[in-house]
């Protein structure tokens, strides 16, 4: 005979208290509850090195100052419009000239006329050196004293050259004697000067002025300059 107090197999077990069975567990691991923040989180940027920024600003400032200064100088230069002076030989003479046995003796006395065409700029002539050549062969040189030339001013500048028993190649001696025997001998006169343009208290950058007076002809007998004054090239 079966025991009536034993539950029947295959049917759910009823709790004696009248409550249903507990729900089955869905997971064996529990996670803590996290309250989501209403604002997004951004990591703080890394600290910047201030030195590159400082040097960049310094470079930009220097470049701007250089551009401004160059613009002002260019405008100032265009307004004044400096022009190179004009050179010409008014007279030149040769005395005690002798060329023989690869030796040369002689004395040249020249007078230049220098004109300043600028209306607003004066010109300062510093170190001045003048030389005498026969064609491309150097014979002698001399120095000329510095001077200041006012606006629209003309000056007469004298130069004296001397050569005593100076050695030259035989072909140079033959060329000079050949020209002299034909009644005329030609020389090239060069002037190199350190000059600067001035406007009131302002003085421009110094530059080298080069003057060439080509084929200055002298008579073979008296050594006087033939023809009138001769204009020189200036650069």
């Amino acid at each position: 005979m079966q025991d009536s107090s034993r539950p029947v197999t295959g049917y759910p077990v009823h709790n004696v208290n009248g409550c249903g069975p507990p729900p089955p567990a869905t997971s064996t691991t529990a996670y803590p509850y996290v309250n989501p923040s209403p604002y997004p989180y951004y990591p703080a940027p890394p600290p910047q090195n201030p030195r590159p920024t400082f040097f960049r600003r310094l470079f930009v400032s220097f470049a701007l100052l250089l551009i401004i200064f160059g613009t002002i100088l260019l405008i100032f230069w265009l307004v004044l419009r400096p022009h190179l002076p004009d050179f010409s030989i008014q007279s030149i003479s040769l005395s005690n000239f002798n060329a023989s046995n690869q030796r040369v003796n002689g004395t040249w006395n020249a007078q230049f006329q220098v004109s300043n065409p600028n209306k607003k700029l004066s010109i300062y002539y510093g170190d001045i050196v003048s030389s005498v050549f026969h064609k491309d062969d150097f014979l002698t040189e001399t120095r000329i004293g510095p001077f200041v030339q006012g606006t629209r001013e003309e000056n007469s500048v004298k130069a004296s050259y001397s050569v005593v028993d100076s050695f030259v190649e035989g072909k140079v001696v033959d060329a000079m004697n050949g020209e002299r025997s034909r009644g005329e001998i030609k020389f090239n006169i060069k002037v190199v000067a350190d000059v600067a343009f001035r406007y009131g208290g302002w003085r421009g950058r110094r530059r080298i002025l080069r003057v060439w007076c080509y084929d200055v002809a002298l008579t073979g007998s008296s050594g006087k300059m033939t023809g009138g004054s001769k204009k020189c090239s200036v650069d």
Side-chain angles (χ1 to χ4, degrees):
M1 184 174 181
Q2 294 182 349
D3 187 359
S4 59
S5 62
R6 184 178 179 183
V8 180
T9 305
Y11 295 89
V13 179
H14 296 280
N15 194 312
V16 294
N17 296 326
C19 299
T26 58
S27 176
T28 58
T29 304
Y31 294 94
Y33 173 75
V34 178
N35 184 20
S37 175
Y39 302 103
Y41 172 75
Y42 298 101
Q48 296 183 353
N49 188 356
R51 296 189 63 182
T53 303
F54 170 76
F55 285 115
R56 190 180 302 112
R57 291 178 179 175
L58 182 64
F59 175 77
V60 172
S61 301
F62 179 76
L64 289 176
L65 289 175
L66 189 62
I67 292 173
I68 294 173
F69 178 77
T71 303
I72 294 174
L73 186 62
L74 177 61
I75 295 174
F76 187 71
W77 194 255
L78 291 176
V79 170
L80 296 178
R81 299 184 66 83
H83 297 279
L84 295 177
D86 297 320
F87 273 74
S88 62
I89 289 187
Q90 296 299 105
S91 64
I92 187 170
S93 62
L94 175 62
S95 59
N96 301 322
F97 180 76
N98 180 56
S100 61
N101 299 323
Q102 297 184 328
R103 300 289 173 178
V104 175
N105 294 273
T107 301
W108 293 260
N109 289 289
Q111 181 175 330
F112 300 91
Q113 180 174 298
V114 185
S115 303
N116 178 11
N118 295 282
K119 297 179 181 180
K120 300 179 181 180
L121 293 172
S122 60
I123 305 177
Y124 170 74
Y125 298 82
D127 189 24
I128 309 173
V129 178
S130 183
S131 309
V132 177
F133 294 80
H134 181 264
K135 300 187 184 298
D136 294 330
D137 297 295
F138 172 81
L139 296 178
T140 183
E141 70 177 16
T142 189
R143 304 182 75 87
I144 302 174
F147 63 97
V148 178
Q149 191 172 44
T151 59
R152 294 286 191 175
E153 188 173 290
E154 292 186 354
N155 297 84
S156 180
V157 180
K158 295 182 179 181
S160 180
Y161 316 81
S162 180
V163 57
V164 178
D165 201 28
S166 178
F167 172 81
V168 293
E169 294 185 5
K171 62 179 182 179
V172 179
V173 172
D174 295 339
M176 290 190 293
N177 286 331
E179 292 180 13
R180 191 180 185 187
S181 64
R182 290 190 291 270
E184 187 179 79
I185 182 171
K186 294 181 179 180
F187 298 96
N188 296 325
I189 311 298
K190 182 181 181 181
V191 179
V192 178
D194 179 16
V195 302
F197 292 95
R198 290 180 173 179
Y199 178 74
W202 174 84
R203 186 176 71 176
R205 182 175 59 89
R206 303 172 75 93
R207 59 159 294 172
I208 299 299
L209 189 74
R210 293 177 176 85
V211 181
W212 276 103
C213 308
Y214 293 103
D215 296 331
V216 180
L218 306 177
T219 59
S221 57
S222 62
K224 300 294 183 179
M225 182 177 177
T226 61
S229 63
K230 188 173 185 63
K231 188 174 179 60
C232 307
S233 65
V234 182
D235 58 21

